[in-house]
């Protein structure tokens, strides 16, 4: 049969407390469902990363957020790979014992999963991560030594690495209210915004796949932890999912290059995102090109960027299950509206004909 393959994009912004995707890999079930009704799904680490838990999906492209925006703008294309050589970038602020824990994860990924983690480097200065929270509740952060981060990344790339896993030492504050709320499945991930800053910087500078795993001391046992946050309670590090994702993450190439079998910016057919968070640059680029945007109401967040306020045309859907059904209908060549009850009458462009027909 002839027909175009369906390429979907799933975006769940990080650090804004999304009801689905705001916790430890809790958007993975959604990604699996969307991937099952798409020929190809493009999404980002916040959706796929679940600390010690992950789920490899052969038709999913794992694309860092800044790279996803450049792809949406038409600047970059995605080059699928069989395997990436991953470099491990460790913050000099990580204590020796905690560093060894992360080293053991990388070595276990080689021995047990067959991943190619080919080099490691420690930054020449502590990165100095600081966590922040906006009045809206969204989280963000800063690093004191971006120069040290970039020098370490450059060393890995010169050593032949093709993707970079960053482990930065994040502040420990087990008594913080924000952290306690997050562990109980409420509020906003206090680390997510700062993590995005780190990966964005490397991808912007070097145009290579990158993802981040924070280094933290284990938290005290709490039997009441929310299932949505529990993946981050299962081990000493959050690194396993990052290595799994980066191992086959597509590489970023200029859209002007001629590359066989690449994923071109114009390949995207539909985008799924929370209804209150459709103001990101990637979604605005796709909307401007007339790509259908499925805005899902049930995925609430701390933001309140309504499509109508931004002038962004969207398909308003209540649930993710409805979005999966919409995609299944679209892939089958149906107008998704045909699956809902009600009459749909033909509309004439010529108003006089329309009036005569109605009369």
């Amino acid at each position: 049969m002839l027909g175009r393959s369906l390429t979907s994009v799933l975006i769940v912004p990080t650090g804004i407390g999304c009801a689905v995707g705001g916790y430890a890999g809790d958007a993975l079930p959604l990604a699996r469902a969307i991937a099952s009704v798409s020929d190809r799904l493009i999404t980002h680490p916040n959706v796929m990363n679940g600390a010690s838990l992950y789920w490899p999906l052969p038709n999913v492209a794992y694309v860092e957020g800044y790279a996803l925006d450049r792809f949406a703008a038409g600047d970059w294309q995605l080059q699928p790979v069989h395997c990436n050589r991953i470099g491990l970038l460790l913050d000099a602020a990580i204590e020796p014992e905690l560093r060894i824990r992360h080293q053991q994860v990388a070595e276990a990924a080689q021995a047990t999963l067959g991943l190619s983690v080919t080099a490691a480097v420690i930054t020449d200065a502590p990165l100095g991560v600081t966590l922040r929270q906006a009045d809206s509740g969204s989280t963000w952060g800063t690093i004191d030594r971006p120069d040290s981060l970039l020098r370490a990344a450059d060393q890995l790339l010169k050593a032949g690495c093709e993707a970079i896993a960053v482990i930065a030492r994040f502040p420990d504050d087990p008594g913080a209210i924000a952290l306690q709320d997050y562990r109980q499945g409420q509020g906003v991930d206090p680390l997510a915004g700062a993590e995005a800053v780190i990966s964005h910087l490397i991808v912007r500078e070097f145009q290579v796949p990158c993802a981040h795993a924070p280094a933290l001391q284990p938290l005290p046992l709490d039997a009441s932890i929310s299932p949505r946050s529990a993946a981050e309670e299962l081990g000493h590090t959050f690194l396993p999912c990052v290595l799994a994702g980066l191992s086959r993450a597509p590489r970023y190439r200029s859209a002007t290059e001629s590359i066989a079998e690449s994923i071109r910016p114009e390949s995207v057919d539909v985008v799924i995102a929370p209804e209150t968070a459709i103001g990101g640059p990637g979604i605005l680029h796709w909307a401007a090109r007339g790509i259908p945007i499925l805005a899902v109401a049930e995925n609430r967040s701390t933001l309140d960027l309504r499509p109508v306020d931004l002038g962004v045309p969207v398909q308003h859907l209540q649930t993710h299950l409805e979005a999966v059904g919409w995609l299944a209908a679209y892939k089958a060549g149906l107008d998704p509206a045909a699956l809902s009850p009600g009459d749909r009458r033909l509309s004439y462009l010529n108003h006089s004909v329309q009036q005569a027909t109605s009369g």
Side-chain angles (χ1 to χ4, degrees):
M1 295 179 63
L2 297 179
R4 173 173 169 154
S5 61
L6 176 64
T7 298
S8 304
V9 175
L10 172 61
I11 295 179
V12 184
T14 191
I16 62 171
C18 289
V20 176
Y23 298 88
D26 66 312
L28 254 173
L30 174 60
R32 290 179 63 190
I34 292 175
S36 74
V37 294
S38 303
D39 295 291
R40 181 166 52 204
L41 171 62
I42 302 169
T43 191
H44 52 107
N46 182 56
V47 170
M48 302 301 292
N49 286 354
S52 295
L53 302 180
Y54 53 90
W55 196 273
L57 295 166
N59 64 332
V60 171
Y62 181 92
V63 180
E64 194 275 339
Y66 176 82
L68 198 54
D69 288 341
R70 294 293 300 273
F71 173 71
D75 299 328
W76 291 359
Q77 60 184 313
L78 307 176
Q79 181 183 16
V81 301
H82 292 297
C83 175
N84 284 318
R85 295 188 294 272
I86 303 171
L88 207 62
L89 194 162
L90 296 137
D91 186 352
I94 300 173
E95 300 88 336
E97 182 176 327
L98 193 54
R99 176 176 55 79
I100 291 171
R101 294 288 189 187
H102 286 84
Q103 175 184 319
Q104 288 173 338
V105 171
E107 291 170 346
Q110 293 181 99
T112 303
L113 301 180
L115 304 189
S116 180
V117 186
T118 57
V121 66
I122 299 173
T123 60
D124 54 25
L127 295 180
V129 176
T130 303
L131 305 181
R132 308 286 187 188
Q133 188 162 21
D135 292 340
S136 66
S138 303
T139 61
W140 57 288
T142 61
I143 57 172
D144 294 338
R145 295 297 303 270
D147 58 321
S148 182
L149 176 73
L150 295 177
R151 281 194 295 272
D154 188 51
Q155 281 185 267
L156 290 170
L157 296 175
K158 287 177 177 176
C161 297
E162 297 157 321
I164 297 176
V166 181
I167 303 97
R169 185 65 168 93
F170 271 45
D172 291 310
D173 191 1
I177 294 175
L179 177 58
Q180 294 304 317
D181 286 345
Y182 174 75
R183 294 181 83 194
Q184 296 299 322
Q186 305 168 23
V188 180
D189 182 347
L191 312 180
E195 291 191 90
V197 169
I198 291 169
S199 64
H200 288 1
L201 182 58
I202 289 178
V203 174
R204 185 181 66 189
E205 184 72 19
F206 298 109
Q207 198 172 325
V208 295
C210 177
H212 178 267
L216 295 160
Q217 293 295 342
L219 291 167
L221 180 65
D222 184 344
S224 66
I225 291 298
S226 166
R228 293 196 292 174
S229 306
E232 293 177 353
E233 308 281 334
L234 304 181
H236 296 281
T237 83
F238 302 161
L239 185 57
C241 62
V242 168
L243 296 178
L246 289 175
S247 67
R248 298 198 69 178
R251 296 173 196 161
Y252 313 139
R253 298 287 184 259
S254 169
T256 60
E257 296 181 58
S258 178
I259 299 174
E261 299 182 355
S262 71
I263 307 173
R264 302 279 309 170
E266 58 269 21
S267 300
V268 172
D269 295 297
V270 61
V271 179
I272 306 98
E275 186 178 57
T276 60
I278 53 85
I283 295 177
L284 295 181
H285 282 302
W286 280 308
R289 294 210 304 272
I291 303 299
I293 311 295
L294 308 187
V296 182
E298 72 174 354
N299 202 1
R300 301 173 303 279
S301 74
T302 60
L303 301 182
D304 193 22
L305 297 174
R306 302 286 173 177
V308 65
D309 298 329
L310 297 172
V312 178
V314 300
Q315 297 282 334
H316 292 278
L317 303 179
Q318 290 301 311
T319 69
H320 288 120
L321 281 174
E322 188 178 354
V324 172
W326 194 101
L327 290 169
Y330 189 79
K331 183 179 179 182
L334 303 174
D335 180 350
L339 303 186
S340 299
D343 293 331
R344 293 182 301 146
R345 297 191 178 278
L346 188 63
S347 175
Y348 284 89
L349 299 178
N350 185 309
H351 292 294
S352 61
V353 174
Q354 177 73 55
Q355 293 169 356
T357 302
S358 301

